[in-house]
Amino acid sequence: MGASMTMQKGTNVPVPAGTVRVELGWYAAPGAPDVDTSALLLVAGKVRDDADFVFYNQPVHASGAVRHEGKRTAPDSVVDTLLVDFGKVEPGIERIVLAASADGGTFGRVSGLHVRITDAAGGAELARFDSTDATVETAFILGELYLRQGAWKFRAVGQGYSSGLEGLATDFGISVDEPQQPQQAPTVPSSPPPAPVAPAPAAPVAPPAPAPAPAPVRLTKITLTKSAPSVSLAKQGGTSGALRVNLNWEVRKQFKGWGAKLGRAVAMHADLDLDLCALYELTDGRKGVVQSLGNAFGSLNQPPFIHLDGDDRTGALSTGENMTINLDHKNQLRRVLIFVTIYEGARSFADLHATVTLQPQNGAAVDFSLDECTVPSTVCALALITNTGGDLTVQREARYLVPDRGVSPQRTIDAAYGWGMNWTPGRK
């Protein structure tokens, strides 16, 4: 089908490809919630167990048939992607439900929501469905891939849930690790039941050991706070692959006469330039910095196993600043301090509302926001990642520092954390 043609709810098309990308897309806009895509692999309308649910905290199906590839962003839009390899789909699975969930709002506030199915080999669009009638829903089944007479097809569904990802997942048989409502106490019968008859004694038989129940799926993202500032990546399943570090921000200014806070008034601060950076120390004693200043962007597959993406000056209107840490080499990292500096465009972090997200390739996302800045700070320590013997611990720092006159932000953060490096002036 042509790229300009979109499907109607309930219609279906053949999917003549061995591997496809499922692209969930929407417009990035002020006040819109974040959206996450997920997939459920079904036998007779239900999952076989919790492993048949692929989403941000469980990004790869055991068969390799479905993989959550994560998000990529343009200045005005976001795409979250799943890769589906039909050749690896296990016998018996006849439907793969493609769902979306909104984090921090309803789908009525998400514009441009759509799902595209593309041929992973050539990129050709095979199907597209645009969702236009969402209101209070917090989860959505956008479509499904299903097997009919040996061939895969895509059906546009567009069914919403106001009960979020938890409600949707529970409907398909997922056991979810979320706080449940307390159950009512059973009513006591008015007359006592008859006394049981004692059975004849039998030779004791050791009962079979019960199979351990699998841990229920955790849908929550881990948010670090002042009272609970640290988390083990291993406990969240994040021990290998790429750890993506994202800094997103919005500018809020108080305007006299209007008396209103304007969220994301980035147009008035188009020259604002925040730089995400990292100090690192390797287990062999080498130390250094990853930053755009001096083009020290690092490397993912050789020391320091940290890489900084390109520079982004738009903050919340796109993806913000991103850095990737290669957890496959975590044993060679002793400690990593992630920090941010104001390169230009503001004198302090006072009007910036920033959020830090650490998204392991495997395991739960870890996020936290920065407190209101009340000091003339141009450098902020965000998170300290420490090797604790085969595991990495993430500690929320959110610590604003005020450089002395003539002292660089980098030298200031080095002194605060005792890194002990020699600094020379740099520029981008």
Side-chain angles (χ1 to χ4, degrees), residues 8 14 72 110 115 179 182 203 205 212 223 227 239 261 321 357 411-412:
Q8 298 301 309
R72 64 177 197 275
V110 179
V115 61
V205 177
T223 298
S227 57
T239 55
K261 276 192 173 183
E321 293 266 309
T357 305
R411 198 183 291 259
T412 302

Short mmCIF file of all heavy atoms in Angstrom, two decimals, residues 8 14 72 110 115 179 182 203 205 212 223 227 239 261 321 357 411-412:
data_model
loop_
_atom_site.label_atom_id
_atom_site.label_comp_id
_atom_site.label_asym_id
_atom_site.label_seq_id
_atom_site.Cartn_x
_atom_site.Cartn_y
_atom_site.Cartn_z
N GLN A 8 -8.53 2.26 7.86
CA GLN A 8 -9.69 2.50 8.72
C GLN A 8 -9.71 1.44 9.81
O GLN A 8 -9.22 0.32 9.63
CB GLN A 8 -10.99 2.44 7.90
CG GLN A 8 -11.07 3.49 6.81
CD GLN A 8 -10.98 4.90 7.34
OE1 GLN A 8 -11.69 5.28 8.27
NE2 GLN A 8 -10.08 5.69 6.77
N PRO A 14 -2.36 -7.65 4.09
CA PRO A 14 -1.28 -8.63 4.22
C PRO A 14 0.04 -7.95 4.55
O PRO A 14 0.25 -6.79 4.23
CB PRO A 14 -1.24 -9.30 2.84
CG PRO A 14 -1.92 -8.35 1.91
CD PRO A 14 -2.89 -7.55 2.72
N ARG A 72 13.39 7.16 19.14
CA ARG A 72 14.25 8.14 18.49
C ARG A 72 13.40 9.38 18.24
O ARG A 72 12.20 9.29 18.04
CB ARG A 72 14.86 7.60 17.19
CG ARG A 72 13.91 7.28 16.10
CD ARG A 72 14.67 6.81 14.84
NE ARG A 72 13.82 6.86 13.68
CZ ARG A 72 12.98 5.90 13.32
NH1 ARG A 72 12.89 4.80 14.05
NH2 ARG A 72 12.21 6.03 12.26
N VAL A 110 -2.36 13.62 23.24
CA VAL A 110 -1.31 13.19 22.31
C VAL A 110 -1.83 13.40 20.89
O VAL A 110 -2.86 12.82 20.51
CB VAL A 110 -0.96 11.70 22.50
CG1 VAL A 110 0.10 11.26 21.51
CG2 VAL A 110 -0.48 11.46 23.93
N VAL A 115 0.47 4.22 13.99
CA VAL A 115 1.35 3.06 13.94
C VAL A 115 1.64 2.76 12.47
O VAL A 115 0.74 2.81 11.63
CB VAL A 115 0.73 1.84 14.67
CG1 VAL A 115 -0.57 1.41 14.04
CG2 VAL A 115 1.72 0.69 14.73
N PRO A 179 0.24 -2.06 43.39
CA PRO A 179 -0.57 -2.11 44.61
C PRO A 179 -2.02 -2.49 44.28
O PRO A 179 -2.61 -1.90 43.40
CB PRO A 179 -0.49 -0.68 45.17
CG PRO A 179 0.57 0.00 44.40
CD PRO A 179 0.84 -0.77 43.16
N PRO A 182 -7.43 -3.56 48.78
CA PRO A 182 -7.60 -4.60 49.80
C PRO A 182 -8.90 -5.37 49.55
O PRO A 182 -9.92 -4.78 49.26
CB PRO A 182 -7.67 -3.81 51.11
CG PRO A 182 -8.00 -2.41 50.72
CD PRO A 182 -7.45 -2.21 49.34
N ALA A 203 -0.09 -43.87 55.26
CA ALA A 203 1.37 -43.67 55.30
C ALA A 203 1.69 -42.27 54.83
O ALA A 203 1.15 -41.81 53.83
CB ALA A 203 2.05 -44.71 54.40
N VAL A 205 3.15 -39.22 52.97
CA VAL A 205 3.79 -39.02 51.66
C VAL A 205 4.31 -37.60 51.63
O VAL A 205 3.57 -36.66 51.93
CB VAL A 205 2.78 -39.25 50.50
CG1 VAL A 205 3.43 -38.97 49.16
CG2 VAL A 205 2.22 -40.66 50.55
N PRO A 212 8.46 -22.58 42.15
CA PRO A 212 8.47 -21.17 42.54
C PRO A 212 7.64 -20.34 41.56
O PRO A 212 7.74 -20.51 40.35
CB PRO A 212 9.96 -20.80 42.45
CG PRO A 212 10.58 -21.83 41.57
CD PRO A 212 9.78 -23.07 41.72
N THR A 223 11.74 5.82 40.18
CA THR A 223 12.02 7.24 40.34
C THR A 223 12.84 7.43 41.62
O THR A 223 12.41 7.02 42.70
CB THR A 223 10.72 8.05 40.41
OG1 THR A 223 10.01 7.87 39.18
CG2 THR A 223 11.01 9.53 40.61
N SER A 227 14.70 10.83 49.54
CA SER A 227 14.59 9.81 50.58
C SER A 227 15.01 8.43 50.08
O SER A 227 15.37 7.56 50.86
CB SER A 227 13.16 9.76 51.13
OG SER A 227 12.26 9.50 50.07
N THR A 239 21.89 -5.16 33.41
CA THR A 239 23.29 -5.53 33.63
C THR A 239 24.09 -5.65 32.34
O THR A 239 25.27 -5.91 32.39
CB THR A 239 23.36 -6.89 34.36
OG1 THR A 239 22.61 -7.85 33.60
CG2 THR A 239 22.78 -6.79 35.76
N LYS A 261 2.92 31.16 34.36
CA LYS A 261 4.15 30.46 33.98
C LYS A 261 3.95 29.87 32.61
O LYS A 261 2.98 29.15 32.38
CB LYS A 261 4.46 29.35 34.98
CG LYS A 261 5.20 29.85 36.20
CD LYS A 261 5.73 28.70 37.01
CE LYS A 261 6.62 29.21 38.13
NZ LYS A 261 7.21 28.11 38.89
N GLU A 321 19.59 16.08 25.68
CA GLU A 321 20.97 15.61 25.52
C GLU A 321 21.04 14.14 25.90
O GLU A 321 20.43 13.72 26.88
CB GLU A 321 21.90 16.42 26.42
CG GLU A 321 22.04 17.87 26.03
CD GLU A 321 23.25 18.11 25.13
OE1 GLU A 321 24.34 17.68 25.49
OE2 GLU A 321 23.08 18.70 24.06
N THR A 357 16.76 10.66 32.81
CA THR A 357 16.28 9.28 32.66
C THR A 357 17.45 8.39 32.26
O THR A 357 18.18 8.70 31.32
CB THR A 357 15.18 9.18 31.58
OG1 THR A 357 14.13 10.10 31.90
CG2 THR A 357 14.62 7.77 31.52
N ARG A 411 36.26 22.02 36.42
CA ARG A 411 37.21 22.01 37.54
C ARG A 411 36.44 22.03 38.87
O ARG A 411 36.86 21.41 39.85
CB ARG A 411 38.13 23.23 37.43
CG ARG A 411 39.41 23.12 38.23
CD ARG A 411 40.20 24.41 38.12
NE ARG A 411 40.74 24.62 36.80
CZ ARG A 411 41.99 24.38 36.44
NH1 ARG A 411 42.84 23.89 37.33
NH2 ARG A 411 42.42 24.63 35.23
N THR A 412 35.29 22.74 38.88
CA THR A 412 34.47 22.83 40.08
C THR A 412 33.92 21.46 40.47
O THR A 412 33.95 21.06 41.64
CB THR A 412 33.32 23.83 39.85
OG1 THR A 412 33.87 25.11 39.51
CG2 THR A 412 32.44 23.96 41.08
#
